[in-house]
Amino acid sequence: MSLESNNTIVDRPGEGERIFWIIFHVTIALLSLTGDSIILIGTIRYRAIKLHRVIVVIIQHLAVGDLLLTVFRVVPTIVSLFAEEWIMGTFLCHMNLYVVIVCIPATAILTSLLSTCKLLIVQYPLRTETWTRKRAHFICALSWLLCMVRPRMWENVFFINTESYSLDYILYLCQGDLTDIPGWFIWFQEIFIYLAFLAVFVILITTSVLLLYKARKAAVRIRESVRWQGTFTVMLTTGVFMVSYLPDSIVPLIDSLTHVTVTSSIRRAGTFSVTINIAANVFVYSLTVRSFREFLFSRIRLLARKLGFISPATARAVRQMRTIPGDQ
């Protein structure tokens, strides 16, 4: 098996750009591994996010997808940026290809599911009270399964040359040799991908607008403030997703449909922007969900007390002095 790169030297970044992307990916990896682990432990063991049970289940699946992308996309990218070649062997090359192909669309579907479910919860609060965690896990599992049978996966099962790999100097990931793919399949795949992501963006924008409208309408109808933390959590989560994935969707379109020359650095920045979404969710929940914020503060105080930075009396005084207004 060949792991030598056959990409041109033009695609390689300069030394300064390479160092920047190393620092960027190391930061993303540390934030994601820490933040998403806290989200999973906090929601499973401590019920740290006190939102509707279905929303919490989707958040857990999003955290799992982010961790998989960190381990099989971000970490290999860091290693490849240091080595400037693929040195992690055949197995991790296969895992890198398959996990990325599954997790990115799964994240898109789960984010759409998150905004749609929240809209239904606001619109039909009594009916959605019967929704269970088991049903939510089942729907999320179907979303993962759907991503495993998409055309891009068929490409890697039927057409990829498993005897030849190279390092893609744009992604800094292992790239399979796909020279045997039929032309019709390439067109079908590209159309499918763009239509799918267009549908995701339409769903996210539509549900976000409707969600804000319905929540405000409900507040006016009952003449009091509604609990806004779930609405803001969903809207901010979908907003971060769209901002981080939009460059990766637009740059290839500009490159293929216009005469504008897109440099390797711009293509690389557009591709790497999607990793922002991987590390952002812990900050979103810290800002919008009071119970999660208090959980983080309590863990930080506990850790500081065990390390001897603060005394138990000081920790109690700080806890009593904290007066955070309710999230309404």
Side-chain angles (χ1 to χ4, degrees):
M1 171 180 167
S2 173
L3 292 174
E4 298 297 326
S5 173
N6 57 7
N7 290 19
T8 62
I9 193 72
V10 177
D11 290 325
R12 296 188 183 187
E15 188 65 16
E17 183 184 353
R18 188 171 67 88
I19 293 174
F20 169 80
W21 288 122
I22 288 174
I23 296 172
F24 175 84
H25 281 85
V26 168
T27 303
I28 292 293
L30 291 176
L31 290 175
S32 175
L33 291 173
T34 304
D36 289 307
S37 297
I38 290 173
I39 290 170
L40 286 174
I41 295 172
T43 55
I44 294 173
R45 186 172 180 180
Y46 299 99
R47 297 202 172 188
I49 298 181
K50 295 180 181 179
L51 298 176
H52 193 283
R53 64 187 71 87
V54 171
I55 299 298
V56 174
V57 168
I58 299 173
I59 286 173
Q60 291 170 350
H61 281 264
L62 284 171
V64 170
D66 289 344
L67 285 173
L68 287 173
L69 284 172
T70 300
V71 173
F72 292 104
R73 174 171 178 161
V74 178
V75 172
T77 298
I78 295 171
V79 175
S80 298
L81 281 165
F82 273 109
E84 293 207 285
E85 60 178 337
W86 183 263
I87 61 174
M88 286 171 282
T90 307
F91 175 75
L92 281 179
C93 190
H94 276 285
M95 291 301 298
N96 165 249
L97 288 169
Y98 292 131
V99 169
V100 170
I101 287 170
V102 172
C103 285
I104 288 181
T107 299
I109 293 175
L110 289 170
T111 306
S112 301
L113 192 62
L114 181 73
S115 61
T116 303
C117 286
K118 182 57 184 177
L119 176 61
L120 293 175
I121 290 169
V122 172
Q123 179 69 23
Y124 307 106
L126 296 179
R127 294 182 186 179
T128 54
E129 278 300 313
T130 60
W131 290 0
T132 63
R133 289 184 178 85
K134 184 176 181 180
R135 181 180 297 180
H137 280 298
F138 177 75
I139 294 173
C140 290
L142 287 180
S143 301
W144 285 101
L145 183 62
L146 178 64
C147 296
M148 295 178 184
V149 296
R150 57 191 283 260
R152 187 70 186 274
M153 181 61 76
W154 304 341
E155 166 190 299
N156 285 274
V157 171
F158 295 109
F159 300 117
I160 193 170
N161 182 355
T162 57
E163 300 299 323
S164 179
Y165 289 96
S166 62
L167 179 66
D168 185 334
Y169 283 106
I170 300 297
L171 299 173
Y172 265 87
L173 292 173
C174 179
Q175 178 71 40
D177 182 4
L178 303 175
T179 55
D180 296 331
I181 301 179
W184 65 266
F185 190 87
I186 294 176
W187 278 102
F188 174 71
Q189 171 188 276
E190 293 299 320
I191 293 172
F192 179 87
I193 291 174
Y194 280 114
L195 288 178
F197 266 89
L198 178 61
V200 167
F201 275 87
V202 169
I203 291 172
L204 291 178
I205 294 172
T206 304
T207 53
S208 296
V209 172
L210 289 175
L211 178 58
L212 187 60
Y213 170 75
K214 294 292 184 181
R216 182 59 184 167
K217 186 177 179 181
V220 173
R221 184 176 64 250
I222 63 178
R223 297 183 180 181
E224 62 181 25
S225 60
V226 295
R227 294 183 63 85
W228 286 98
Q229 64 173 356
T231 300
F232 288 151
T233 300
V234 171
M235 292 186 66
L236 195 53
T237 301
T238 57
V240 170
F241 173 85
M242 288 188 288
V243 169
S244 61
Y245 274 81
L246 196 59
D248 188 44
S249 303
I250 291 178
V251 170
L253 281 177
I254 295 175
D255 191 28
S256 59
L257 299 179
T258 69
H259 297 291
V260 177
T261 301
V262 179
T263 65
S264 298
S265 296
I266 294 176
R267 289 159 56 199
R268 192 175 296 111
T271 301
F272 287 163
S273 68
V274 302
T275 58
I276 296 173
N277 186 66
I278 296 174
N281 286 338
V282 66
F283 297 104
V284 171
Y285 308 145
S286 299
L287 287 171
T288 59
V289 183
R290 180 181 181 181
S291 60
F292 186 70
R293 185 165 60 242
E294 291 180 340
F295 168 76
L296 285 179
F297 284 151
S298 67
R299 297 299 112 179
I300 292 172
R301 286 196 302 269
L302 179 62
L303 180 62
R305 190 165 64 248
K306 287 186 176 181
L307 294 176
F309 292 121
I310 59 174
S311 64
T314 303
R316 284 194 298 271
V318 171
R319 186 166 58 250
Q320 292 172 359
M321 291 173 62
R322 283 184 60 246
T323 55
I324 298 178
D327 294 303
Q328 298 295 330

